Amino acid sequence: MSVNEVKIKPAPVQFELRGTGPPTSRTFVIGDEDHTLGNAIRHILINDARVDFAGYCVPHPSEPVVHVRVQTATGNEGALTATEAVKEACTTLENQCDFVLGELEKALPEVREDREWMERWAAEELQQAAMEEEDDE
């Protein structure tokens, strides 16, 4: 490792929900993520008319977490909760990523081949890890 390389330790928590009071206002702490996911979710949330506020921050560059703050509109019965808004935003982001990947794979077939190879490799790694875990028991 060179002088300029920094090994960031895994986040102590993968997901944490913070906030008390009305369910329309919450902070979501997502571990092992950074500006990439935080800004994407914030962008989708802020484009939802039912969301009054959406923002994110990375508390410190060496801390591998992103905090996403969401406040939804109140006033009418059955208002969207902050948790529902984030779930919808995540689904929208997943659909957008699938669409972009599909278009990219149509234009460049080698991208599809690389993805399929990576999926096979990941499955083999999981299988090998499971076998090693069984051997340890």
Side-chain angles (χ1 to χ4, degrees):
M1 181 184 321
S2 74
V3 175
N4 294 329
E5 290 182 39
V6 177
K7 276 256 190 194
I8 297 177
K9 295 179 181 169
V13 294
Q14 289 300 306
F15 182 81
E16 183 180 345
L17 181 60
R18 294 183 182 172
T20 57
T24 56
S25 180
R26 293 287 183 264
T27 298
F28 301 85
V29 180
I30 306 168
D32 296 321
E33 294 297 342
D34 58 15
H35 294 281
T36 305
L37 183 66
N39 193 43
I41 290 176
R42 180 206 60 84
H43 178 77
I44 292 168
L45 284 165
I46 209 70
N47 286 309
D48 187 337
R50 302 169 296 172
V51 174
D52 285 341
F53 174 82
Y56 82 96
C57 71
V58 175
H60 191 275
S62 67
E63 190 178 345
V65 297
V66 63
H67 295 199
V68 179
R69 179 73 178 163
V70 181
Q71 292 177 317
T72 59
T74 58
N76 57 349
E77 195 66 31
L80 183 71
T81 67
T83 303
E84 291 167 344
V86 169
K87 285 180 182 179
E88 287 181 17
C90 289
T91 301
T92 300
L93 181 58
E94 181 181 21
N95 292 340
Q96 290 175 349
C97 289
D98 288 343
F99 174 78
V100 170
L101 181 60
E103 293 298 307
L104 185 62
E105 288 177 347
K106 278 191 234 173
L108 301 168
E110 61 269 19
V111 172
R112 181 183 47 78
E113 294 166 8
D114 286 348
R115 179 184 52 79
E116 290 171 350
W117 182 87
M118 288 298 294
E119 287 173 353
R120 285 193 303 274
W121 178 82
E124 290 170 5
E125 288 291 311
L126 283 173
Q127 186 178 19
Q128 183 177 358
M131 290 172 57
E132 289 174 2
E133 191 174 290
E134 285 178 7
D135 291 341
D136 290 342
E137 293 176 356

